Amino acid sequence: MTFIDEYRDPALIRGLLAAVAREAAGIGRSVTLMEVCGSHTYAIGRYGLKKLLPENIRLVSGPGCPVCVTSVADVDRALYLASRPGVTFSTFGDMMRVPGSGGRSLQKLRAEGADIRIISSAMQAADFALQVPERGIVLMGIGFETTAPTVASAVLGWQKKNLKNVCLYSVHKLVPPALKALVDDAGLRPELKIDGFICPGHVSTITGTAAYSVITEAGRAAAITGFEPSDILQGILMILKQIAEGRPGVEIQYSRGVSGNGNPRARQVMDSVFRTADAEWRGLGMIPGSGLALRDEYAVFDAGARFEIPPLKSTEPPGCRCGDILRGIREPAGCPLFKKACTPASPVGPCMVSSEGTCAAHFKYGE
Ligand code: SF4
């Protein structure tokens, strides 16, 4: 048995399912749990976990897929930067096919001749800057607390190497402000009451439990959960027990990866380079303090300052319901374009692009 097999052991899974069923029966009402993170959406689809849960337990997907929550306006700004003469634009692979206004994408722009490079590490931007000193390198930084520290490290490296031809277009986002918006039923989410949150294991390796205090303060249950089937079922069981016993809190299921205090060193690096800024989330709108912008000391690396980005008129893909899906108020099958005009081979919205997107997961693994 391999290390991974331990977390997929049929006897273990059957035992956890039985415990979940007992707890759900004891609660005796419908319970809605949100998996905040796209990696959980993918794993839940891949292992068919929804079908195995009791009828009164409903799982809805949340806004935890970075490319999915990137607003169409931010995509359009990326397209503008990538099309500037003399610019080499670099970003992570999933971003390439996310449609901006009019169905344009970085992938299409590259096919038209723009110099757009897919990276696997933010550190590669410095390599490009040295390899092609005559060009301006723009790194599109995207992701949550998991990736922001590595991008912050890259910026520190640019400063140390005194690189003049590289800059950052940051669409990084922070999870806690979005969670605050999600739990605020009286505000953004009157449509859906979430009883508990399956919180992302990887983000939590950086943030620790403090990021989820907004959930506790709102009287909701939460478990920081890993990504194997037994992890997810155990996380669900922890949340159900909290609900049944009336003791909402933040428990750590993923204790092999997460400590209560997270990774203070990574947070310190992130905080030394970035400050919080208001950010627009697809589906959730503008959330105060939910984005990361470069601090004044690093403003020289700010793509927004280096290139004057004019006001752009951005429009959502017609008919796309990604906003509703990211708010958990619609399933992909409720989008008229799902599996028709919109497929992974020809995505209309971002939720069909990324493997972490809810529409892509439903397309691949069924509903
Ligand atoms: Fe958007 Fe496509 Fe999902 Fe519809 S099926 S919500 S168009 S990504």
PDB file of all heavy atoms in Angstrom, residues 317-323 325 330 332 335-339 342-343 347-353 358-360, ligand 1:
ATOM      1  N   PRO A 317     -19.091  37.273 -20.715  1.00  0.00           N
ATOM      2  CA  PRO A 317     -19.527  36.472 -21.862  1.00  0.00           C
ATOM      3  C   PRO A 317     -21.055  36.334 -21.849  1.00  0.00           C
ATOM      4  O   PRO A 317     -21.628  35.967 -20.817  1.00  0.00           O
ATOM      5  CB  PRO A 317     -18.861  35.105 -21.614  1.00  0.00           C
ATOM      6  CG  PRO A 317     -17.752  35.371 -20.654  1.00  0.00           C
ATOM      7  CD  PRO A 317     -18.174  36.549 -19.827  1.00  0.00           C
ATOM      8  N   PRO A 318     -21.715  36.650 -22.944  1.00  0.00           N
ATOM      9  CA  PRO A 318     -23.180  36.580 -22.963  1.00  0.00           C
ATOM     10  C   PRO A 318     -23.686  35.183 -22.583  1.00  0.00           C
ATOM     11  O   PRO A 318     -23.197  34.182 -23.106  1.00  0.00           O
ATOM     12  CB  PRO A 318     -23.540  36.904 -24.418  1.00  0.00           C
ATOM     13  CG  PRO A 318     -22.341  37.628 -24.957  1.00  0.00           C
ATOM     14  CD  PRO A 318     -21.159  37.081 -24.234  1.00  0.00           C
ATOM     15  N   GLY A 319     -24.631  35.142 -21.674  1.00  0.00           N
ATOM     16  CA  GLY A 319     -25.249  33.869 -21.279  1.00  0.00           C
ATOM     17  C   GLY A 319     -24.499  33.117 -20.194  1.00  0.00           C
ATOM     18  O   GLY A 319     -25.040  32.188 -19.594  1.00  0.00           O
ATOM     19  N   CYS A 320     -23.259  33.478 -19.908  1.00  0.00           N
ATOM     20  CA  CYS A 320     -22.445  32.745 -18.933  1.00  0.00           C
ATOM     21  C   CYS A 320     -22.960  33.003 -17.513  1.00  0.00           C
ATOM     22  O   CYS A 320     -23.244  34.134 -17.152  1.00  0.00           O
ATOM     23  CB  CYS A 320     -20.984  33.178 -19.056  1.00  0.00           C
ATOM     24  SG  CYS A 320     -19.922  32.466 -17.787  1.00  0.00           S
ATOM     25  N   ARG A 321     -23.070  31.939 -16.735  1.00  0.00           N
ATOM     26  CA  ARG A 321     -23.575  32.066 -15.362  1.00  0.00           C
ATOM     27  C   ARG A 321     -22.471  31.823 -14.322  1.00  0.00           C
ATOM     28  O   ARG A 321     -22.753  31.420 -13.198  1.00  0.00           O
ATOM     29  CB  ARG A 321     -24.716  31.068 -15.127  1.00  0.00           C
ATOM     30  CG  ARG A 321     -25.887  31.200 -16.082  1.00  0.00           C
ATOM     31  CD  ARG A 321     -26.701  32.468 -15.787  1.00  0.00           C
ATOM     32  NE  ARG A 321     -27.987  32.433 -16.453  1.00  0.00           N
ATOM     33  CZ  ARG A 321     -28.218  32.904 -17.665  1.00  0.00           C
ATOM     34  NH1 ARG A 321     -27.229  33.448 -18.356  1.00  0.00           N
ATOM     35  NH2 ARG A 321     -29.439  32.848 -18.192  1.00  0.00           N
ATOM     36  N   CYS A 322     -21.225  32.035 -14.709  1.00  0.00           N
ATOM     37  CA  CYS A 322     -20.124  31.775 -13.773  1.00  0.00           C
ATOM     38  C   CYS A 322     -20.293  32.548 -12.452  1.00  0.00           C
ATOM     39  O   CYS A 322     -19.965  32.034 -11.385  1.00  0.00           O
ATOM     40  CB  CYS A 322     -18.779  32.147 -14.400  1.00  0.00           C
ATOM     41  SG  CYS A 322     -18.156  30.921 -15.564  1.00  0.00           S
ATOM     42  N   GLY A 323     -20.791  33.780 -12.552  1.00  0.00           N
ATOM     43  CA  GLY A 323     -20.966  34.580 -11.337  1.00  0.00           C
ATOM     44  C   GLY A 323     -21.871  33.877 -10.338  1.00  0.00           C
ATOM     45  O   GLY A 323     -21.573  33.813  -9.142  1.00  0.00           O
ATOM     46  N   ILE A 325     -22.500  30.673 -10.219  1.00  0.00           N
ATOM     47  CA  ILE A 325     -21.864  29.422  -9.776  1.00  0.00           C
ATOM     48  C   ILE A 325     -20.838  29.710  -8.688  1.00  0.00           C
ATOM     49  O   ILE A 325     -20.750  28.996  -7.689  1.00  0.00           O
ATOM     50  CB  ILE A 325     -21.263  28.694 -10.994  1.00  0.00           C
ATOM     51  CG1 ILE A 325     -22.418  28.079 -11.793  1.00  0.00           C
ATOM     52  CG2 ILE A 325     -20.265  27.628 -10.583  1.00  0.00           C
ATOM     53  CD1 ILE A 325     -22.091  27.678 -13.182  1.00  0.00           C
ATOM     54  N   ARG A 330     -26.114  28.549  -8.142  1.00  0.00           N
ATOM     55  CA  ARG A 330     -26.515  27.843  -9.363  1.00  0.00           C
ATOM     56  C   ARG A 330     -25.521  26.719  -9.624  1.00  0.00           C
ATOM     57  O   ARG A 330     -24.329  26.861  -9.371  1.00  0.00           O
ATOM     58  CB  ARG A 330     -26.540  28.812 -10.547  1.00  0.00           C
ATOM     59  CG  ARG A 330     -27.185  28.265 -11.796  1.00  0.00           C
ATOM     60  CD  ARG A 330     -26.983  29.228 -12.958  1.00  0.00           C
ATOM     61  NE  ARG A 330     -27.700  30.482 -12.775  1.00  0.00           N
ATOM     62  CZ  ARG A 330     -28.891  30.758 -13.272  1.00  0.00           C
ATOM     63  NH1 ARG A 330     -29.525  29.852 -13.990  1.00  0.00           N
ATOM     64  NH2 ARG A 330     -29.462  31.929 -13.073  1.00  0.00           N
ATOM     65  N   PRO A 332     -23.763  24.105 -12.521  1.00  0.00           N
ATOM     66  CA  PRO A 332     -23.439  24.254 -13.942  1.00  0.00           C
ATOM     67  C   PRO A 332     -24.588  23.858 -14.871  1.00  0.00           C
ATOM     68  O   PRO A 332     -24.808  24.495 -15.901  1.00  0.00           O
ATOM     69  CB  PRO A 332     -22.229  23.328 -14.114  1.00  0.00           C
ATOM     70  CG  PRO A 332     -21.551  23.384 -12.784  1.00  0.00           C
ATOM     71  CD  PRO A 332     -22.674  23.434 -11.774  1.00  0.00           C
ATOM     72  N   CYS A 335     -26.840  26.463 -16.232  1.00  0.00           N
ATOM     73  CA  CYS A 335     -26.389  27.425 -17.248  1.00  0.00           C
ATOM     74  C   CYS A 335     -26.820  26.911 -18.612  1.00  0.00           C
ATOM     75  O   CYS A 335     -26.517  25.768 -18.979  1.00  0.00           O
ATOM     76  CB  CYS A 335     -24.866  27.584 -17.208  1.00  0.00           C
ATOM     77  SG  CYS A 335     -24.242  28.566 -18.606  1.00  0.00           S
ATOM     78  N   PRO A 336     -27.519  27.727 -19.387  1.00  0.00           N
ATOM     79  CA  PRO A 336     -28.004  27.247 -20.701  1.00  0.00           C
ATOM     80  C   PRO A 336     -26.874  26.873 -21.663  1.00  0.00           C
ATOM     81  O   PRO A 336     -27.122  26.170 -22.646  1.00  0.00           O
ATOM     82  CB  PRO A 336     -28.814  28.441 -21.232  1.00  0.00           C
ATOM     83  CG  PRO A 336     -28.397  29.619 -20.416  1.00  0.00           C
ATOM     84  CD  PRO A 336     -27.934  29.106 -19.100  1.00  0.00           C
ATOM     85  N   LEU A 337     -25.662  27.316 -21.387  1.00  0.00           N
ATOM     86  CA  LEU A 337     -24.555  27.031 -22.310  1.00  0.00           C
ATOM     87  C   LEU A 337     -23.781  25.769 -21.937  1.00  0.00           C
ATOM     88  O   LEU A 337     -22.970  25.282 -22.725  1.00  0.00           O
ATOM     89  CB  LEU A 337     -23.583  28.221 -22.332  1.00  0.00           C
ATOM     90  CG  LEU A 337     -24.180  29.601 -22.624  1.00  0.00           C
ATOM     91  CD1 LEU A 337     -23.080  30.655 -22.701  1.00  0.00           C
ATOM     92  CD2 LEU A 337     -24.975  29.582 -23.919  1.00  0.00           C
ATOM     93  N   PHE A 338     -24.038  25.234 -20.728  1.00  0.00           N
ATOM     94  CA  PHE A 338     -23.274  24.083 -20.221  1.00  0.00           C
ATOM     95  C   PHE A 338     -23.400  22.883 -21.154  1.00  0.00           C
ATOM     96  O   PHE A 338     -24.506  22.461 -21.502  1.00  0.00           O
ATOM     97  CB  PHE A 338     -23.784  23.729 -18.819  1.00  0.00           C
ATOM     98  CG  PHE A 338     -23.056  22.574 -18.162  1.00  0.00           C
ATOM     99  CD1 PHE A 338     -21.709  22.657 -17.868  1.00  0.00           C
ATOM    100  CD2 PHE A 338     -23.732  21.407 -17.838  1.00  0.00           C
ATOM    101  CE1 PHE A 338     -21.046  21.602 -17.259  1.00  0.00           C
ATOM    102  CE2 PHE A 338     -23.079  20.340 -17.232  1.00  0.00           C
ATOM    103  CZ  PHE A 338     -21.727  20.445 -16.945  1.00  0.00           C
ATOM    104  N   LYS A 339     -22.273  22.347 -21.576  1.00  0.00           N
ATOM    105  CA  LYS A 339     -22.184  21.180 -22.461  1.00  0.00           C
ATOM    106  C   LYS A 339     -22.733  21.452 -23.861  1.00  0.00           C
ATOM    107  O   LYS A 339     -22.798  20.532 -24.672  1.00  0.00           O
ATOM    108  CB  LYS A 339     -22.920  19.964 -21.877  1.00  0.00           C
ATOM    109  CG  LYS A 339     -22.218  19.321 -20.702  1.00  0.00           C
ATOM    110  CD  LYS A 339     -22.938  18.036 -20.325  1.00  0.00           C
ATOM    111  CE  LYS A 339     -22.223  17.314 -19.216  1.00  0.00           C
ATOM    112  NZ  LYS A 339     -22.955  16.121 -18.771  1.00  0.00           N
ATOM    113  N   CYS A 342     -20.634  25.734 -24.388  1.00  0.00           N
ATOM    114  CA  CYS A 342     -19.481  25.807 -23.484  1.00  0.00           C
ATOM    115  C   CYS A 342     -18.996  24.404 -23.089  1.00  0.00           C
ATOM    116  O   CYS A 342     -19.733  23.639 -22.452  1.00  0.00           O
ATOM    117  CB  CYS A 342     -19.874  26.607 -22.237  1.00  0.00           C
ATOM    118  SG  CYS A 342     -18.492  26.873 -21.117  1.00  0.00           S
ATOM    119  N   THR A 343     -17.800  24.084 -23.497  1.00  0.00           N
ATOM    120  CA  THR A 343     -17.167  22.801 -23.160  1.00  0.00           C
ATOM    121  C   THR A 343     -15.696  23.084 -22.828  1.00  0.00           C
ATOM    122  O   THR A 343     -15.199  24.175 -23.134  1.00  0.00           O
ATOM    123  CB  THR A 343     -17.218  21.831 -24.353  1.00  0.00           C
ATOM    124  OG1 THR A 343     -16.420  22.386 -25.411  1.00  0.00           O
ATOM    125  CG2 THR A 343     -18.641  21.597 -24.851  1.00  0.00           C
ATOM    126  N   PRO A 347     -14.257  26.801 -24.060  1.00  0.00           N
ATOM    127  CA  PRO A 347     -14.897  27.388 -22.876  1.00  0.00           C
ATOM    128  C   PRO A 347     -15.429  28.796 -23.140  1.00  0.00           C
ATOM    129  O   PRO A 347     -14.751  29.601 -23.778  1.00  0.00           O
ATOM    130  CB  PRO A 347     -13.747  27.438 -21.852  1.00  0.00           C
ATOM    131  CG  PRO A 347     -12.502  27.476 -22.665  1.00  0.00           C
ATOM    132  CD  PRO A 347     -12.796  26.742 -23.946  1.00  0.00           C
ATOM    133  N   VAL A 348     -16.622  29.049 -22.659  1.00  0.00           N
ATOM    134  CA  VAL A 348     -17.194  30.393 -22.759  1.00  0.00           C
ATOM    135  C   VAL A 348     -16.845  31.199 -21.513  1.00  0.00           C
ATOM    136  O   VAL A 348     -16.578  32.394 -21.578  1.00  0.00           O
ATOM    137  CB  VAL A 348     -18.734  30.318 -22.938  1.00  0.00           C
ATOM    138  CG1 VAL A 348     -19.349  31.714 -22.917  1.00  0.00           C
ATOM    139  CG2 VAL A 348     -19.081  29.606 -24.241  1.00  0.00           C
ATOM    140  N   GLY A 349     -16.831  30.538 -20.358  1.00  0.00           N
ATOM    141  CA  GLY A 349     -16.524  31.227 -19.104  1.00  0.00           C
ATOM    142  C   GLY A 349     -15.359  30.561 -18.389  1.00  0.00           C
ATOM    143  O   GLY A 349     -14.966  29.428 -18.725  1.00  0.00           O
ATOM    144  N   PRO A 350     -14.804  31.227 -17.390  1.00  0.00           N
ATOM    145  CA  PRO A 350     -13.604  30.716 -16.710  1.00  0.00           C
ATOM    146  C   PRO A 350     -13.841  29.429 -15.924  1.00  0.00           C
ATOM    147  O   PRO A 350     -12.915  28.650 -15.728  1.00  0.00           O
ATOM    148  CB  PRO A 350     -13.205  31.860 -15.785  1.00  0.00           C
ATOM    149  CG  PRO A 350     -14.460  32.617 -15.549  1.00  0.00           C
ATOM    150  CD  PRO A 350     -15.233  32.530 -16.821  1.00  0.00           C
ATOM    151  N   CYS A 351     -15.087  29.205 -15.463  1.00  0.00           N
ATOM    152  CA  CYS A 351     -15.346  28.000 -14.661  1.00  0.00           C
ATOM    153  C   CYS A 351     -15.233  26.724 -15.493  1.00  0.00           C
ATOM    154  O   CYS A 351     -15.221  25.624 -14.947  1.00  0.00           O
ATOM    155  CB  CYS A 351     -16.731  28.070 -14.012  1.00  0.00           C
ATOM    156  SG  CYS A 351     -16.912  29.406 -12.836  1.00  0.00           S
ATOM    157  N   MET A 352     -15.153  26.880 -16.821  1.00  0.00           N
ATOM    158  CA  MET A 352     -14.969  25.717 -17.697  1.00  0.00           C
ATOM    159  C   MET A 352     -13.511  25.589 -18.125  1.00  0.00           C
ATOM    160  O   MET A 352     -13.121  24.601 -18.743  1.00  0.00           O
ATOM    161  CB  MET A 352     -15.875  25.845 -18.935  1.00  0.00           C
ATOM    162  CG  MET A 352     -15.982  24.600 -19.792  1.00  0.00           C
ATOM    163  SD  MET A 352     -16.656  23.159 -18.926  1.00  0.00           S
ATOM    164  CE  MET A 352     -18.406  23.299 -19.321  1.00  0.00           C
ATOM    165  N   VAL A 353     -12.689  26.572 -17.780  1.00  0.00           N
ATOM    166  CA  VAL A 353     -11.295  26.559 -18.236  1.00  0.00           C
ATOM    167  C   VAL A 353     -10.424  25.742 -17.303  1.00  0.00           C
ATOM    168  O   VAL A 353      -9.774  24.767 -17.695  1.00  0.00           O
ATOM    169  CB  VAL A 353     -10.741  28.002 -18.337  1.00  0.00           C
ATOM    170  CG1 VAL A 353      -9.255  27.972 -18.630  1.00  0.00           C
ATOM    171  CG2 VAL A 353     -11.479  28.777 -19.419  1.00  0.00           C
ATOM    172  N   THR A 358     -15.747  24.729 -11.378  1.00  0.00           N
ATOM    173  CA  THR A 358     -16.898  23.873 -11.096  1.00  0.00           C
ATOM    174  C   THR A 358     -17.489  23.299 -12.382  1.00  0.00           C
ATOM    175  O   THR A 358     -17.846  22.120 -12.439  1.00  0.00           O
ATOM    176  CB  THR A 358     -17.979  24.680 -10.349  1.00  0.00           C
ATOM    177  OG1 THR A 358     -17.365  25.292  -9.229  1.00  0.00           O
ATOM    178  CG2 THR A 358     -19.119  23.808  -9.889  1.00  0.00           C
ATOM    179  N   CYS A 359     -17.590  24.115 -13.428  1.00  0.00           N
ATOM    180  CA  CYS A 359     -18.192  23.620 -14.676  1.00  0.00           C
ATOM    181  C   CYS A 359     -17.312  22.546 -15.298  1.00  0.00           C
ATOM    182  O   CYS A 359     -17.821  21.536 -15.809  1.00  0.00           O
ATOM    183  CB  CYS A 359     -18.410  24.777 -15.647  1.00  0.00           C
ATOM    184  SG  CYS A 359     -19.572  26.003 -15.010  1.00  0.00           S
ATOM    185  N   ALA A 360     -15.990  22.744 -15.264  1.00  0.00           N
ATOM    186  CA  ALA A 360     -15.079  21.736 -15.817  1.00  0.00           C
ATOM    187  C   ALA A 360     -15.188  20.432 -15.030  1.00  0.00           C
ATOM    188  O   ALA A 360     -15.207  19.333 -15.622  1.00  0.00           O
ATOM    189  CB  ALA A 360     -13.647  22.251 -15.795  1.00  0.00           C
TER     190      ALA A 360
HETATM  191 FE1  SF4 B   1     -19.895  29.944 -17.704  1.00  0.00          FE
HETATM  192 FE2  SF4 B   1     -19.649  27.809 -19.327  1.00  0.00          FE
HETATM  193 FE3  SF4 B   1     -20.064  27.425 -16.746  1.00  0.00          FE
HETATM  194 FE4  SF4 B   1     -22.005  28.383 -18.298  1.00  0.00          FE
HETATM  195  S1  SF4 B   1     -21.111  26.362 -18.430  1.00  0.00           S
HETATM  196  S2  SF4 B   1     -21.428  29.126 -16.276  1.00  0.00           S
HETATM  197  S3  SF4 B   1     -20.816  29.630 -19.751  1.00  0.00           S
HETATM  198  S4  SF4 B   1     -18.268  28.384 -17.676  1.00  0.00           S
END
